[in-house]
Tab-separated table of all heavy atoms in Angstrom:
chain	number	residue	atom	x	y	z
A	135	VAL	N	-2.069	2.801	63.263
A	135	VAL	CA	-3.045	1.789	62.818
A	135	VAL	C	-2.276	0.575	62.429
A	135	VAL	O	-1.317	0.656	61.648
A	135	VAL	CB	-3.920	2.353	61.611
A	135	VAL	CG1	-4.778	1.247	61.076
A	135	VAL	CG2	-4.732	3.552	62.055
A	136	ARG	N	-2.735	-0.594	62.824
A	136	ARG	CA	-2.137	-1.885	62.538
A	136	ARG	C	-3.099	-2.799	61.821
A	136	ARG	O	-4.292	-2.695	62.152
A	136	ARG	CB	-1.622	-2.520	63.812
A	136	ARG	CG	-0.541	-1.784	64.563
A	136	ARG	CD	0.741	-1.612	63.752
A	136	ARG	NE	1.721	-0.758	64.390
A	136	ARG	CZ	1.863	0.546	64.145
A	136	ARG	NH1	1.104	1.083	63.177
A	136	ARG	NH2	2.785	1.238	64.718
A	137	GLY	N	-2.640	-3.593	60.893
A	137	GLY	CA	-3.530	-4.521	60.283
A	137	GLY	C	-4.435	-3.984	59.208
A	137	GLY	O	-5.494	-4.537	58.929
A	138	PHE	N	-4.129	-2.757	58.653
A	138	PHE	CA	-4.949	-2.195	57.633
A	138	PHE	C	-4.767	-3.043	56.360
A	138	PHE	O	-3.677	-3.096	55.804
A	138	PHE	CB	-4.535	-0.744	57.412
A	138	PHE	CG	-5.324	-0.093	56.250
A	138	PHE	CD1	-6.681	0.109	56.285
A	138	PHE	CD2	-4.619	0.218	55.046
A	138	PHE	CE1	-7.361	0.601	55.234
A	138	PHE	CE2	-5.296	0.798	53.974
A	138	PHE	CZ	-6.687	1.020	54.094
A	139	LEU	N	-5.821	-3.666	55.952
A	139	LEU	CA	-5.722	-4.574	54.809
A	139	LEU	C	-6.822	-4.314	53.757
A	139	LEU	O	-7.882	-4.891	53.816
A	139	LEU	CB	-5.914	-6.019	55.308
A	139	LEU	CG	-5.607	-7.142	54.343
A	139	LEU	CD1	-4.142	-7.077	53.861
A	139	LEU	CD2	-5.870	-8.523	54.953
A	140	PRO	N	-6.530	-3.382	52.848
A	140	PRO	CA	-7.568	-3.104	51.789
A	140	PRO	C	-7.568	-4.287	50.827
A	140	PRO	O	-6.684	-5.089	50.775
A	140	PRO	CB	-6.944	-1.853	51.126
A	140	PRO	CG	-5.467	-1.949	51.420
A	140	PRO	CD	-5.313	-2.570	52.774
A	141	PRO	N	-8.711	-4.383	50.102
A	141	PRO	CA	-8.832	-5.553	49.187
A	141	PRO	C	-7.741	-5.581	48.177
A	141	PRO	O	-7.237	-6.625	47.731
A	141	PRO	CB	-10.194	-5.243	48.469
A	141	PRO	CG	-10.997	-4.430	49.484
A	141	PRO	CD	-9.942	-3.607	50.170
A	142	GLN	N	-7.207	-4.357	47.725
A	142	GLN	CA	-6.056	-4.323	46.843
A	142	GLN	C	-4.785	-4.017	47.620
A	142	GLN	O	-4.103	-3.133	47.318
A	142	GLN	CB	-6.296	-3.261	45.747
A	142	GLN	CG	-7.494	-3.547	44.872
A	142	GLN	CD	-8.701	-2.867	45.405
A	142	GLN	OE1	-8.693	-2.192	46.355
A	142	GLN	NE2	-9.854	-3.028	44.666
A	143	GLY	N	-4.594	-4.819	48.677
A	143	GLY	CA	-3.421	-4.553	49.518
A	143	GLY	C	-2.036	-5.024	48.830
A	143	GLY	O	-2.029	-5.400	47.717
A	144	SER	N	-1.038	-4.881	49.636
A	144	SER	CA	0.314	-5.263	49.118
A	144	SER	C	0.464	-6.743	49.050
A	144	SER	O	1.007	-7.383	49.919
A	144	SER	CB	1.391	-4.599	50.029
A	144	SER	OG	2.695	-4.980	49.557
A	145	ALA	N	-0.108	-7.334	47.997
A	145	ALA	CA	-0.044	-8.754	47.803
A	145	ALA	C	-0.571	-9.530	49.001
A	145	ALA	O	-0.079	-10.548	49.399
A	145	ALA	CB	1.352	-9.200	47.494
A	146	GLY	N	-1.678	-8.955	49.628
A	146	GLY	CA	-2.265	-9.627	50.721
A	146	GLY	C	-1.655	-9.242	52.067
A	146	GLY	O	-2.138	-9.815	53.085
A	147	HIS	N	-0.725	-8.339	52.107
A	147	HIS	CA	-0.130	-7.951	53.358
A	147	HIS	C	-0.661	-6.641	53.887
A	147	HIS	O	-0.991	-5.775	53.031
A	147	HIS	CB	1.403	-7.862	53.173
A	147	HIS	CG	2.117	-9.156	52.947
A	147	HIS	ND1	2.428	-10.023	53.942
A	147	HIS	CD2	2.486	-9.732	51.763
A	147	HIS	CE1	3.005	-11.115	53.391
A	147	HIS	NE2	3.095	-10.936	52.128
A	148	PRO	N	-0.776	-6.495	55.193
A	148	PRO	CA	-1.303	-5.185	55.669
A	148	PRO	C	-0.437	-3.998	55.205
A	148	PRO	O	0.829	-4.159	55.024
A	148	PRO	CB	-1.245	-5.346	57.208
A	148	PRO	CG	-1.337	-6.809	57.404
A	148	PRO	CD	-0.572	-7.409	56.274
A	149	MET	N	-1.037	-2.865	55.124
A	149	MET	CA	-0.315	-1.665	54.723
A	149	MET	C	-0.391	-0.624	55.866
A	149	MET	O	-1.184	-0.755	56.798
A	149	MET	CB	-0.861	-1.055	53.478
A	149	MET	CG	-0.751	-2.065	52.308
A	149	MET	SD	-1.382	-1.464	50.671
A	149	MET	CE	0.031	-0.420	50.218
A	150	LEU	N	0.395	0.456	55.731
A	150	LEU	CA	0.350	1.533	56.704
A	150	LEU	C	-0.488	2.664	56.213
A	150	LEU	O	-0.525	2.935	54.987
A	150	LEU	CB	1.760	2.067	56.976
A	150	LEU	CG	2.797	1.043	57.532
A	150	LEU	CD1	4.153	1.779	57.686
A	150	LEU	CD2	2.342	0.458	58.863
A	151	LEU	N	-1.195	3.334	57.082
A	151	LEU	CA	-1.981	4.506	56.793
A	151	LEU	C	-1.246	5.738	57.151
A	151	LEU	O	-0.615	5.839	58.221
A	151	LEU	CB	-3.372	4.478	57.402
A	151	LEU	CG	-4.465	3.669	56.869
A	151	LEU	CD1	-5.675	3.663	57.708
A	151	LEU	CD2	-4.827	4.237	55.450
A	152	MET	N	-1.247	6.766	56.275
A	152	MET	CA	-0.643	8.061	56.587
A	152	MET	C	-1.729	9.104	56.344
A	152	MET	O	-2.676	8.896	55.601
A	152	MET	CB	0.553	8.326	55.690
A	152	MET	CG	1.696	7.337	55.902
A	152	MET	SD	3.267	7.815	55.087
A	152	MET	CE	3.774	9.230	56.114
A	153	ALA	N	-1.537	10.247	56.981
A	153	ALA	CA	-2.484	11.354	56.834
A	153	ALA	C	-1.791	12.676	56.877
A	153	ALA	O	-0.781	12.891	57.601
A	153	ALA	CB	-3.559	11.338	57.891
A	154	ALA	N	-2.213	13.591	56.051
A	154	ALA	CA	-1.637	14.984	56.059
A	154	ALA	C	-2.804	15.895	56.297
A	154	ALA	O	-3.773	15.929	55.540
A	154	ALA	CB	-1.024	15.306	54.749
A	155	ASP	N	-2.748	16.651	57.457
A	155	ASP	CA	-3.796	17.573	57.731
A	155	ASP	C	-3.516	18.953	57.211
A	155	ASP	O	-2.400	19.235	56.712
A	155	ASP	CB	-3.990	17.659	59.291
A	155	ASP	CG	-4.735	16.469	59.855
A	155	ASP	OD1	-5.025	15.540	59.057
A	155	ASP	OD2	-5.062	16.534	61.053
A	156	HIS	N	-4.523	19.812	57.321
A	156	HIS	CA	-4.338	21.236	56.901
A	156	HIS	C	-3.153	21.898	57.609
A	156	HIS	O	-2.450	22.629	56.978
A	156	HIS	CB	-5.646	22.008	57.185
A	156	HIS	CG	-5.554	23.455	56.812
A	156	HIS	ND1	-5.456	23.808	55.473
A	156	HIS	CD2	-5.575	24.598	57.507
A	156	HIS	CE1	-5.402	25.153	55.387
A	156	HIS	NE2	-5.472	25.658	56.582
A	157	VAL	N	-2.911	21.501	58.869
A	157	VAL	CA	-1.734	21.978	59.645
A	157	VAL	C	-0.765	20.840	59.500
A	157	VAL	O	-0.940	19.745	60.038
A	157	VAL	CB	-2.000	22.327	61.055
A	157	VAL	CG1	-0.751	22.716	61.806
A	157	VAL	CG2	-3.109	23.377	61.189
A	158	PRO	N	0.388	20.989	58.768
A	158	PRO	CA	1.299	19.864	58.506
A	158	PRO	C	1.865	19.272	59.786
A	158	PRO	O	1.986	19.931	60.832
A	158	PRO	CB	2.379	20.468	57.631
A	158	PRO	CG	1.733	21.727	57.056
A	158	PRO	CD	0.804	22.183	58.049
A	159	ASN	N	2.271	18.005	59.739
A	159	ASN	CA	2.922	17.298	60.814
A	159	ASN	C	2.109	17.325	62.136
A	159	ASN	O	2.695	17.463	63.158
A	159	ASN	CB	4.317	17.818	61.031
A	159	ASN	CG	5.210	17.710	59.803
A	159	ASN	OD1	5.557	18.620	59.171
A	159	ASN	ND2	5.545	16.487	59.494
A	160	THR	N	0.782	17.181	61.980
A	160	THR	CA	-0.115	17.167	63.150
A	160	THR	C	-0.710	15.806	63.266
A	160	THR	O	-1.624	15.447	62.512
A	160	THR	CB	-1.242	18.177	62.990
A	160	THR	OG1	-0.663	19.499	62.740
A	160	THR	CG2	-2.082	18.279	64.282
A	161	PRO	N	-0.210	14.915	64.170
A	161	PRO	CA	-0.798	13.562	64.292
A	161	PRO	C	-2.185	13.618	64.784
A	161	PRO	O	-2.550	14.314	65.720
A	161	PRO	CB	0.167	12.917	65.360
A	161	PRO	CG	1.389	13.806	65.432
A	161	PRO	CD	0.897	15.186	65.103
A	162	PRO	N	-3.106	12.911	64.093
A	162	PRO	CA	-4.497	12.854	64.586
A	162	PRO	C	-4.600	12.258	65.943
A	162	PRO	O	-3.806	11.368	66.338
A	162	PRO	CB	-5.145	11.921	63.492
A	162	PRO	CG	-4.249	11.992	62.301
A	162	PRO	CD	-2.844	12.131	62.879
Side-chain angles (χ1 to χ4, degrees):
V135 173
R136 299 292 175 265
F138 175 66
L139 190 61
Q142 298 92 1
S144 179
H147 293 278
M149 301 182 77
L150 300 179
L151 277 175
M152 298 189 72
D155 281 7
H156 180 64
V157 179
N159 299 110
T160 305

